[in-house]
Amino acid sequence: MVVTEMDNGIPENIKSKIRDVPDFPREGILFKDITTVLRDKVAFKHSIDLLAKHYEKQRIEYIAGIEARGFIFGSALAYKLGVGFIPIRKPGKLPSKTERISYDLEYGQDSLEIHTDAVEPGKRVLIVDDLLATGGTADAAIKLVKKIGGVIVGVAFVVELEFLKGREKLPEDCQITRLISF
Ligand code: AMP
Protein backbone atom coordinates (compact mmCIF):
# COMPACT_ATOMS: atom_id res chain seq x y z
CA MET A 1 0.00 0.00 0.00
CA VAL A 2 1.42 3.40 -0.97
CA VAL A 3 0.33 6.24 1.31
CA THR A 4 1.20 9.85 0.50
CA GLU A 5 1.00 12.06 3.56
CA MET A 6 1.16 15.78 2.84
CA ASP A 7 1.16 16.97 6.43
CA ASN A 8 4.60 18.54 6.30
CA GLY A 9 4.37 22.27 6.78
CA ILE A 10 2.09 23.74 4.19
CA PRO A 11 -1.30 22.12 4.96
CA GLU A 12 -1.20 23.70 8.42
CA ASN A 13 -3.21 26.58 6.96
CA ILE A 14 -5.88 24.02 6.00
CA LYS A 15 -5.69 22.05 9.23
CA SER A 16 -6.19 25.13 11.37
CA LYS A 17 -9.49 25.80 9.56
CA ILE A 18 -11.05 22.45 10.48
CA ARG A 19 -13.61 22.85 13.25
CA ASP A 20 -14.11 20.22 15.94
CA VAL A 21 -17.76 19.63 16.80
CA PRO A 22 -18.12 17.34 19.83
CA ASP A 23 -21.00 14.85 20.03
CA PHE A 24 -22.16 15.19 16.40
CA PRO A 25 -24.04 13.38 14.93
CA ARG A 26 -24.02 11.22 18.08
CA GLU A 27 -22.63 11.45 21.58
CA GLY A 28 -18.96 10.44 21.68
CA ILE A 29 -18.17 11.36 18.05
CA LEU A 30 -15.80 14.27 17.53
CA PHE A 31 -16.95 15.55 14.15
CA LYS A 32 -14.35 17.19 11.93
CA ASP A 33 -16.28 19.98 10.25
CA ILE A 34 -14.75 20.93 6.89
CA THR A 35 -17.33 23.65 6.07
CA THR A 36 -14.89 26.03 7.77
CA VAL A 37 -12.22 24.99 5.24
CA LEU A 38 -14.63 25.47 2.32
CA ARG A 39 -15.61 28.99 3.36
CA ASP A 40 -11.97 30.04 3.50
CA LYS A 41 -10.92 30.94 -0.04
CA VAL A 42 -7.22 30.31 0.64
CA ALA A 43 -7.61 26.98 2.46
CA PHE A 44 -10.16 25.56 0.00
CA LYS A 45 -8.12 26.50 -3.05
CA HIS A 46 -4.93 25.26 -1.43
CA SER A 47 -6.45 21.84 -0.65
CA ILE A 48 -7.53 21.39 -4.27
CA ASP A 49 -4.23 22.70 -5.67
CA LEU A 50 -2.19 20.29 -3.53
CA LEU A 51 -4.26 17.29 -4.61
CA ALA A 52 -4.20 18.40 -8.27
CA LYS A 53 -0.42 18.71 -8.20
CA HIS A 54 -0.11 15.21 -6.78
CA TYR A 55 -2.40 13.64 -9.38
CA GLU A 56 -1.71 15.74 -12.49
CA LYS A 57 0.61 13.16 -14.07
CA GLN A 58 -1.31 10.06 -13.05
CA ARG A 59 -3.54 9.93 -16.14
CA ILE A 60 -6.78 10.16 -14.16
CA GLU A 61 -9.83 9.83 -16.42
CA TYR A 62 -12.62 10.22 -13.86
CA ILE A 63 -13.01 11.37 -10.30
CA ALA A 64 -15.64 9.55 -8.28
CA GLY A 65 -16.80 11.66 -5.33
CA ILE A 66 -18.66 10.23 -2.35
CA GLU A 67 -21.85 12.02 -1.22
CA ALA A 68 -21.93 14.62 0.07
CA ARG A 69 -18.66 16.26 1.08
CA GLY A 70 -16.73 14.19 -1.45
CA PHE A 71 -18.76 15.95 -4.14
CA ILE A 72 -17.38 19.32 -3.13
CA PHE A 73 -13.69 18.43 -3.10
CA GLY A 74 -14.08 15.86 -5.88
CA SER A 75 -15.79 18.12 -8.38
CA ALA A 76 -13.40 21.00 -7.75
CA LEU A 77 -10.49 18.60 -8.30
CA ALA A 78 -12.12 17.17 -11.44
CA TYR A 79 -12.46 20.69 -12.84
CA LYS A 80 -8.85 21.47 -11.99
CA LEU A 81 -7.57 18.23 -13.59
CA GLY A 82 -9.92 18.59 -16.58
CA VAL A 83 -11.57 15.19 -16.08
CA GLY A 84 -15.12 13.95 -15.63
CA PHE A 85 -16.91 13.66 -12.30
CA ILE A 86 -18.95 10.66 -11.13
CA PRO A 87 -21.25 10.85 -8.10
CA ILE A 88 -21.37 7.93 -5.66
CA ARG A 89 -24.62 8.51 -3.81
CA LYS A 90 -26.84 7.41 -0.95
CA PRO A 91 -29.54 4.93 -2.01
CA GLY A 92 -32.45 6.07 -4.15
CA LYS A 93 -30.88 9.31 -5.40
CA LEU A 94 -29.40 8.27 -8.74
CA PRO A 95 -32.04 8.19 -11.48
CA SER A 96 -30.74 5.52 -13.85
CA LYS A 97 -29.69 1.88 -13.35
CA THR A 98 -27.37 1.46 -10.34
CA GLU A 99 -25.12 -0.94 -8.48
CA ARG A 100 -25.50 -0.85 -4.70
CA ILE A 101 -23.30 -1.89 -1.77
CA SER A 102 -23.92 -1.82 2.01
CA TYR A 103 -21.19 -1.17 4.58
CA ASP A 104 -20.48 -0.25 8.23
CA LEU A 105 -19.83 3.34 9.30
CA GLU A 106 -18.10 4.80 12.34
CA TYR A 107 -21.65 5.67 13.43
CA GLY A 108 -24.10 3.15 11.95
CA GLN A 109 -24.69 1.36 8.65
CA ASP A 110 -25.24 2.74 5.20
CA SER A 111 -25.38 1.94 1.49
CA LEU A 112 -23.94 3.61 -1.58
CA GLU A 113 -24.88 3.48 -5.24
CA ILE A 114 -23.24 4.26 -8.57
CA HIS A 115 -24.69 4.35 -12.08
CA THR A 116 -23.79 1.06 -13.77
CA ASP A 117 -22.72 2.91 -16.92
CA ALA A 118 -20.78 5.69 -15.15
CA VAL A 119 -17.34 4.40 -16.21
CA GLU A 120 -16.27 2.68 -19.41
CA PRO A 121 -14.43 -0.57 -18.56
CA GLY A 122 -10.70 0.00 -17.95
CA LYS A 123 -10.92 3.73 -17.31
CA ARG A 124 -8.71 5.15 -14.56
CA VAL A 125 -10.68 6.45 -11.60
CA LEU A 126 -9.62 8.46 -8.54
CA ILE A 127 -11.98 8.27 -5.56
CA VAL A 128 -12.30 11.41 -3.43
CA ASP A 129 -13.87 11.96 -0.02
CA ASP A 130 -13.40 14.59 2.65
CA LEU A 131 -12.36 12.23 5.44
CA LEU A 132 -11.11 8.69 6.09
CA ALA A 133 -12.45 7.39 9.41
CA THR A 134 -13.00 3.61 9.77
CA GLY A 135 -12.59 3.09 6.02
CA GLY A 136 -15.96 1.44 5.39
CA THR A 137 -17.20 4.19 3.09
CA ALA A 138 -14.07 4.37 0.95
CA ASP A 139 -13.86 0.58 0.76
CA ALA A 140 -17.47 0.44 -0.45
CA ALA A 141 -16.75 3.13 -3.06
CA ILE A 142 -13.71 1.18 -4.32
CA LYS A 143 -15.82 -1.96 -4.65
CA LEU A 144 -18.54 -0.10 -6.54
CA VAL A 145 -16.15 1.44 -9.06
CA LYS A 146 -14.45 -1.93 -9.62
CA LYS A 147 -17.84 -3.61 -10.01
CA ILE A 148 -18.71 -1.38 -12.97
CA GLY A 149 -15.31 -1.94 -14.58
CA GLY A 150 -13.26 1.04 -13.44
CA VAL A 151 -9.57 0.83 -12.52
CA ILE A 152 -8.79 2.47 -9.17
CA VAL A 153 -5.81 4.82 -9.44
CA GLY A 154 -6.10 5.88 -5.82
CA VAL A 155 -8.22 7.26 -3.03
CA ALA A 156 -7.74 10.85 -1.86
CA PHE A 157 -8.85 12.45 1.40
CA VAL A 158 -8.46 15.89 2.88
CA VAL A 159 -8.42 14.41 6.40
CA GLU A 160 -7.40 11.04 7.84
CA LEU A 161 -8.35 10.08 11.39
CA GLU A 162 -5.29 7.88 11.84
CA PHE A 163 -6.31 6.38 15.18
CA LEU A 164 -9.28 4.65 13.49
CA LYS A 165 -6.89 2.76 11.17
CA GLY A 166 -9.26 3.06 8.21
CA ARG A 167 -6.47 2.52 5.70
CA GLU A 168 -6.16 -1.08 6.94
CA LYS A 169 -9.66 -1.74 5.63
CA LEU A 170 -8.70 -0.66 2.11
CA PRO A 171 -7.25 -3.08 -0.48
CA GLU A 172 -3.52 -3.71 -0.18
CA ASP A 173 -2.86 -2.49 -3.74
CA CYS A 174 -4.61 0.81 -3.04
CA GLN A 175 -2.77 4.16 -3.24
CA ILE A 176 -3.92 6.57 -0.57
CA THR A 177 -3.29 10.30 -0.40
CA ARG A 178 -4.26 12.51 2.48
CA LEU A 179 -3.55 16.14 3.21
CA ILE A 180 -4.06 16.29 6.95
CA SER A 181 -4.18 13.85 9.85
CA PHE A 182 -5.51 13.81 13.37
P1 AMP B 1 -15.78 5.83 7.47
O1 AMP B 1 -16.62 4.97 6.58
O2 AMP B 1 -15.87 5.42 8.90
O3 AMP B 1 -14.36 5.94 6.97
O4 AMP B 1 -16.43 7.26 7.45
C1 AMP B 1 -16.13 8.16 6.47
C2 AMP B 1 -17.31 9.01 6.11
O5 AMP B 1 -18.05 9.44 7.23
C3 AMP B 1 -16.83 10.23 5.39
O6 AMP B 1 -17.69 10.46 4.30
C4 AMP B 1 -16.89 11.33 6.43
O7 AMP B 1 -17.41 12.49 5.86
C5 AMP B 1 -17.80 10.80 7.51
N1 AMP B 1 -17.21 10.83 8.85
C6 AMP B 1 -16.95 9.76 9.65
N2 AMP B 1 -16.45 10.11 10.82
C7 AMP B 1 -16.33 11.45 10.80
C8 AMP B 1 -15.85 12.41 11.73
N3 AMP B 1 -15.37 12.09 12.94
N4 AMP B 1 -15.87 13.71 11.35
C9 AMP B 1 -16.34 14.06 10.13
N5 AMP B 1 -16.82 13.20 9.23
C10 AMP B 1 -16.83 11.91 9.55
Side-chain angles (χ1 to χ4, degrees), residues 26-144:
R26 261 205 350 231
E27 215 179 313
I29 305 284
L30 181 62
F31 194 84
K32 295 291 180 187
D33 179 15
I34 54 81
T35 65
T36 39
V37 173
L38 299 174
R39 70 180 291 280
D40 186 287
K41 63 185 178 194
V42 176
F44 182 33
K45 184 172 192 313
H46 198 191
S47 63
I48 299 302
D49 289 349
L50 284 170
L51 290 172
K53 187 145 188 52
H54 181 69
Y55 285 107
E56 67 190 355
K57 299 211 169 71
Q58 298 202 32
R59 295 180 293 112
I60 309 284
E61 293 175 295
Y62 290 105
I63 285 178
I66 305 173
E67 186 172 1
R69 293 178 292 274
F71 288 0
I72 302 168
F73 291 104
S75 59
L77 185 58
Y79 179 82
K80 180 95 187 176
L81 290 175
V83 304
F85 178 82
I86 295 163
I88 295 180
R89 298 207 64 177
K90 306 279 165 61
K93 305 275 190 187
L94 289 169
S96 191
K97 191 164 175 254
T98 57
E99 285 286 352
R100 177 188 292 203
I101 195 160
S102 296
Y103 63 98
D104 293 323
L105 276 179
E106 188 186 359
Y107 38 83
Q109 239 233 344
D110 218 338
S111 301
L112 285 174
E113 292 184 349
I114 194 168
H115 275 143
T116 49
D117 62 355
V119 175
E120 299 86 349
K123 293 285 184 181
R124 293 167 58 80
V125 181
L126 171 68
I127 291 174
V128 175
D129 203 359
D130 66 326
L131 181 142
L132 175 63
T134 65
T137 308
D139 185 52
I142 290 169
K143 288 182 174 134
L144 275 178

Side-chain angles (χ1 to χ4, degrees), residues 6-15 46 50 179-180:
M6 298 191 178
D7 301 52
N8 286 338
I10 302 163
E12 196 51 45
N13 72 342
I14 305 167
K15 188 170 185 172
H46 198 191
L50 284 170
L179 295 184
I180 291 157

